[in-house]
Amino acid sequence: MNDFSTAQRSRVTMLDVAERAGVSKASVSRFIGEDRALLSDAIALRIEQAIDELGYRPNQMARGLKRGRTRLIGMLVADIRNPYSIAVMHGVETACRAHGYSLVVCNTDRDDEQERQHLALLRSYNIEGLIVNTLGHHRDELHELHREMPLVLVDRKVDGLDSDMIGLNNPQAVEMALVHLEQRGYRDVLLVTEPYDGTSSRIERVSSFQAQIAQRSELAGAVVETGVELATHLQTFLNTSTNGPKALFCANGVAALAATTALREIGFELFKDLGFIALDDLDWYPLVGCGITALAQPTQEIGARAFECLLKRLRGDDTAARRLDFAPVLVERGSTLGIRGV
Amino acid sequence: MNDFSTAQRSRVTMLDVAERAGVSKASVSRFIGEDRALLSDAIALRIEQAIDELGYRPNQMARGLKRGRTRLIGMLVADIRNPYSIAVMHGVETACRAHGYSLVVCNTDRDDEQERQHLALLRSYNIEGLIVNTLGHHRDELHELHREMPLVLVDRKVDGLDSDMIGLNNPQAVEMALVHLEQRGYRDVLLVTEPYDGTSSRIERVSSFQAQIAQRSELAGAVVETGVELATHLQTFLNTSTNGPKALFCANGVAALAATTALREIGFELFKDLGFIALDDLDWYPLVGCGITALAQPTQEIGARAFECLLKRLRGDDTAARRLDFAPVLVERGSTLGIRGV
DNA sequence: CTGTTAGCGCGTTCAT
DNA sequence: ATGAACGCGCTAACAG
């Protein structure tokens, strides 16, 4: 009785509905699809009743097979446990649903082989478009896929892939951070980033940082990567006396977590005499020390626009690839109250 | 050139491979599937080459349509931004992949109508099984679905649905918390929970708490729900003098976030003279105040077991519904160091 | 071992 | 306005 191995067979099909209503499959198909207008009221009513009575649901697999439209879009995510990815994904999913699409999410866990498998998988399910938030090794596969369907990059671009890309305006974000820190009286800024690892957004943030530090005579700046040595590096930074009040600038939420943890490790009181600003705005930022000042990304909107981009392409837009950069929003908290008296 | 509206048509099909290799579709099908052993080496080789040259990928839609097996399983999540859900989902996804299944995640945003839509959707894609982590209103739809496919509940059960259920051993978790608090010298415990809202796990935790408080003569206990009034309630709790040192026990990660935020609101120094223990172990727990003591749930394993449960059912297991309860793991941090001298 | 045939559930011509 | 027939890409039953 509970044998699900064969349960699929028992589902009510279009033919069942047709027979129940005393019409042909074609009519039922018209009722289901966009041709309902072609049906007489009498027949439409009978079909509707039959559908209700039988609890009929069209089989999307069969529809997809026939029409080549599955109403499925895929999303490739590097790390599903990264809050940024989750937030964007939530935006994508909402937009999808609003337009009758469904989202298949594949998490690669930063693993190349998994990325390859997932790409093959998504393709085999005939997804109509793909949103990519990974390093995108496997360029060949991505290229091949891009010939078959539209594709949009989120946060990080992929080498040699000429497709739409949605992300943060990184130079602007860096500028906002530096202006804020400078206004608050900080003069020596350490940028904390995850290892670049080929991630375009990280590279952009670091190079923007270096360029802008060079132009601001008031400020001194340096860069460190997260890792086992982070605590040591921070200690050194704090000990070395330089040209003024010090601040940390974390290039994303993960770096902020690492930096905060490292500061605690070395027994530093958060954030005594140390400015602290971080990209992303995670829900625990307000709780740490006197609260962490954030540059929030409009993740929901980023996700939504990514989907809309895809949709445009699906509807035939074949203009040149666009790049959409969003501005972050400054959320001031206690970690950048500044030097007393300034 | 960039018209994706018709791109699906151009994909290479099984027939293409067959013609290229000079064999029949059936042979190619055997090569793809589990009957590869039946093929002669010569033919297998030719097929393999043809597949490589053409870059053929079997169409899972068509396979699913024919065999009734889509290798898809669905997961209904109440709130995709809840770290617990994400962690479980990650476990599920990993297990899925290990067994050749793919996961379609549907986020209901705690909205009943969305739950209904998603259920219909998942069904229309012929998923083979479903993992449910929602309140499960729409009992009828769930029941109907449960006749067609196996179904496993995670964390919260659904009224009148007789299916497997994976979750935390709530009485044990509560006991661990109370024992720990008592050992550390706390005598007056306030349980902070999200509004029950029919969520079985929340109800179980609260009733276990009340029952166990009643049995422990040393301890006094009370319960508050999160919400706009939380800060006020906490203030009252702190002001009222009772039978000894006070502690907060947060019934999950969301409650912990709310409670910590509320404590800050009322200007309380974390966690001076106040014990604090929370279910779930979020990555920011170590960073707040002197660190939050946690009862970590084995989320990865919960997810994996949920999938394995499904798989067993898919393979014909029709024994009675099981309930699998996991034990939490105590992670001691600074928030329960106890009363000085104890 | 291999090819032929007949559908899976549905959309889409063609007729009528 | 409606129905009959064919095929989407693939698997399974049957021959041989």
Side-chain angles (χ1 to χ4, degrees), chain B residues 176-190:
Chain B
M176 288 171 67
L178 293 184
V179 166
H180 178 70
L181 290 175
E182 188 171 336
Q183 279 180 349
R184 286 289 189 268
Y186 301 103
R187 291 296 176 261
D188 194 6
V189 184
L190 183 67

Side-chain angles (χ1 to χ4, degrees), chain B residues 166-217:
Chain B
I166 318 264
L168 188 70
N169 185 329
N170 290 308
Q172 183 184 2
V174 169
E175 185 181 354
M176 288 171 67
L178 293 184
V179 166
H180 178 70
L181 290 175
E182 188 171 336
Q183 279 180 349
R184 286 289 189 268
Y186 301 103
R187 291 296 176 261
D188 194 6
V189 184
L190 183 67
L191 179 71
V192 182
T193 176
E194 292 186 88
Y196 310 139
D197 205 19
T199 308
S200 66
S201 51
R202 293 180 198 159
I203 296 173
E204 283 182 16
R205 287 168 200 176
V206 171
S207 55
S208 290
F209 177 80
Q210 287 166 329
Q212 293 188 34
I213 285 290
Q215 292 189 346
R216 295 176 176 272
S217 50

Side-chain angles (χ1 to χ4, degrees), chain A residues 17-232:
Chain A
V17 175
E19 286 174 349
R20 186 81 140 103
V23 299
S24 73
K25 288 193 301 176
S27 296
V28 180
S29 173
R30 289 178 182 120
F31 184 87
I32 300 302
E34 280 120 53
D35 304 326
R36 194 176 314 196
L38 301 185
L39 293 177
S40 70
D41 292 353
I43 286 221
L45 188 64
R46 271 154 57 200
I47 295 180
E48 187 166 12
Q49 286 178 351
I51 289 182
D52 280 354
E53 292 166 11
L54 270 43
Y56 169 70
R57 295 262 129 209
N59 182 331
Q60 293 291 352
M61 292 283 167
R63 298 187 100 183
L65 183 56
K66 183 63 185 168
R67 307 204 309 181
R69 301 178 63 197
T70 56
R71 295 302 186 189
L72 244 35
I73 85 133
M75 179 164 181
L76 209 55
V77 177
D79 181 4
I80 208 176
R81 281 170 296 191
N82 183 322
Y84 171 85
S85 299
I86 295 291
V88 172
M89 172 178 149
H90 185 245
V92 172
E93 204 239 3
T94 304
C96 274
R97 191 176 40 239
H99 293 269
Y101 279 76
S102 302
L103 183 65
V104 181
V105 177
C106 289
N107 173 38
T108 69
D109 263 339
R110 301 199 205 83
D111 179 75
D112 279 5
E113 175 53 20
Q114 284 190 33
E115 176 174 328
R116 212 185 52 68
Q117 281 185 26
H118 278 312
L119 281 173
L121 184 98
L122 287 171
R123 199 171 152 210
S124 75
Y125 278 107
N126 287 11
I127 58 167
E128 294 182 34
L130 183 62
I131 293 176
V132 177
N133 176 33
T134 66
L135 263 31
H137 304 149
H138 306 290
R139 270 181 243 169
D140 297 347
E141 314 235 6
L142 276 175
H143 268 103
E144 205 173 328
L145 223 56
H146 193 17
R147 272 202 304 278
E148 293 178 8
M149 66 186 70
L151 198 147
V152 38
L153 269 24
V154 168
D155 183 66
R156 38 189 87 179
K157 63 170 143 273
V158 172
D159 260 18
L161 203 58
D162 180 41
S163 54
D164 297 331
M165 143 117 205
I166 318 265
L168 187 72
N169 186 331
N170 290 308
Q172 183 184 2
V174 169
E175 184 180 355
M176 286 171 68
L178 293 184
V179 166
H180 179 68
L181 290 176
E182 189 171 336
Q183 279 179 349
R184 286 290 187 268
Y186 301 102
R187 292 294 176 263
D188 194 7
V189 184
L190 183 66
L191 179 71
V192 182
T193 175
E194 292 186 89
Y196 310 140
D197 204 18
T199 307
S200 66
S201 51
R202 294 180 197 158
I203 296 174
E204 283 181 17
R205 287 168 200 177
V206 171
S207 56
S208 290
F209 176 80
Q210 287 167 330
Q212 293 187 35
I213 285 289
Q215 293 188 347
R216 295 175 176 274
S217 50
E218 303 284 313
L219 292 183
V223 178
V224 293
E225 296 183 11
T226 58
V228 288
E229 304 265 305
L230 182 58
T232 314

Side-chain angles (χ1 to χ4, degrees), chain B residues 3-21:
Chain B
D3 182 12
F4 295 117
S5 340
T6 57
Q8 310 279 2
R9 307 290 176 193
S10 64
R11 289 195 30 186
V12 26
T13 165
M14 177 178 273
L15 186 59
D16 300 329
V17 176
E19 285 173 350
R20 186 83 138 100

